[in-house]
Amino acid sequence: MRGKAFKFGDNISTDHIAPGRLFHLRSNLPEFAKHVLEDADPEFASKMVKGDFVVAGNNFGLGSSREHAPQIIKIAGVGAVIAKSFARIFYRNAINIGLLAIECDTDGINAGDELELDIEKGILTDLTNGAIIPIEPLPPVMIKMLNDGGLVEHIKKNGGFKLD
């Protein structure tokens, strides 16, 4: 995977991701996705292109357990969310809907850097500055689930969890 980094700080909440004032759009997720991360960066949705990365600090996705937050990130076309750490419910919701969420040290990544992510090898390369950042490789079953489109699609396709 390859894309541009959009850099955010610590404690980006689900309200930053899916603005509460627009919650009436929850029944129209493609429209809601046009406002993704609007309260953290008003221009994010209009500037990012499919495959770009959200890069953040600690505790990304804190706050309410609304699953709309990772859903609209995925619908907007973000390739992955890369953060130092995630709120537990956000991380679980992201993986369940098929949004790649990667934990690693993001301090050396700057806004606009070109990144390349190899989840099987566990490497994030910052092509702009040459840094190679190790990530925790994902278990094969999690990669399969993500490739299938999330938990529900994985179960539909495979009839349950299959480790091979």
Side-chain angles (χ1 to χ4, degrees):
M1 302 172 70
R2 196 172 183 168
K4 183 169 65 169
F6 283 84
K7 188 86 182 250
F8 297 88
D10 294 337
N11 300 313
I12 298 297
S13 73
T14 54
D15 283 327
H16 288 106
I17 300 164
R21 71 182 179 289
L22 299 173
F23 205 58
H24 64 280
L25 294 175
R26 70 187 178 279
S27 60
N28 184 349
L29 293 180
E31 187 62 31
F32 207 177
K34 293 176 184 175
H35 300 276
V36 67
L37 284 158
E38 186 172 273
D39 286 356
D41 177 354
E43 298 178 349
F44 171 73
S46 64
K47 287 186 175 181
M48 65 88 48
V49 297
K50 185 175 177 143
D52 282 344
F53 300 106
V54 168
V55 178
N58 288 302
N59 206 21
F60 187 87
L62 80 145
S64 71
S65 62
R66 70 177 75 150
E67 58 196 27
H68 301 94
Q71 285 176 321
I72 66 172
I73 291 173
K74 182 179 177 183
I75 290 168
V78 170
V81 179
I82 303 165
K84 286 184 178 181
S85 66
F86 291 90
R88 290 177 60 172
I89 276 185
F90 178 90
Y91 185 83
R92 184 171 56 242
N93 285 339
I95 299 301
N96 284 346
I97 61 106
L99 174 65
L100 184 56
I102 298 292
E103 287 188 346
C104 68
D105 182 1
T106 59
D107 283 341
I109 301 170
N110 294 308
D113 284 0
E114 187 74 20
L115 305 177
E116 187 172 74
L117 177 63
D118 187 328
I119 58 172
E120 291 179 359
K121 290 182 181 174
I123 296 172
L124 175 65
T125 305
D126 187 326
L127 300 170
T128 302
N129 66 26
I132 297 174
I133 304 162
I135 63 170
E136 189 66 35
L138 298 176
V141 69
M142 189 177 285
I143 292 172
K144 183 166 177 37
M145 189 172 71
L146 287 164
N147 287 337
D148 287 343
L151 178 62
V152 171
E153 294 305 314
H154 177 77
I155 290 171
K156 284 180 187 176
K157 182 176 179 181
N158 298 285
F161 281 105
K162 296 189 180 193
L163 297 176
D164 46 80

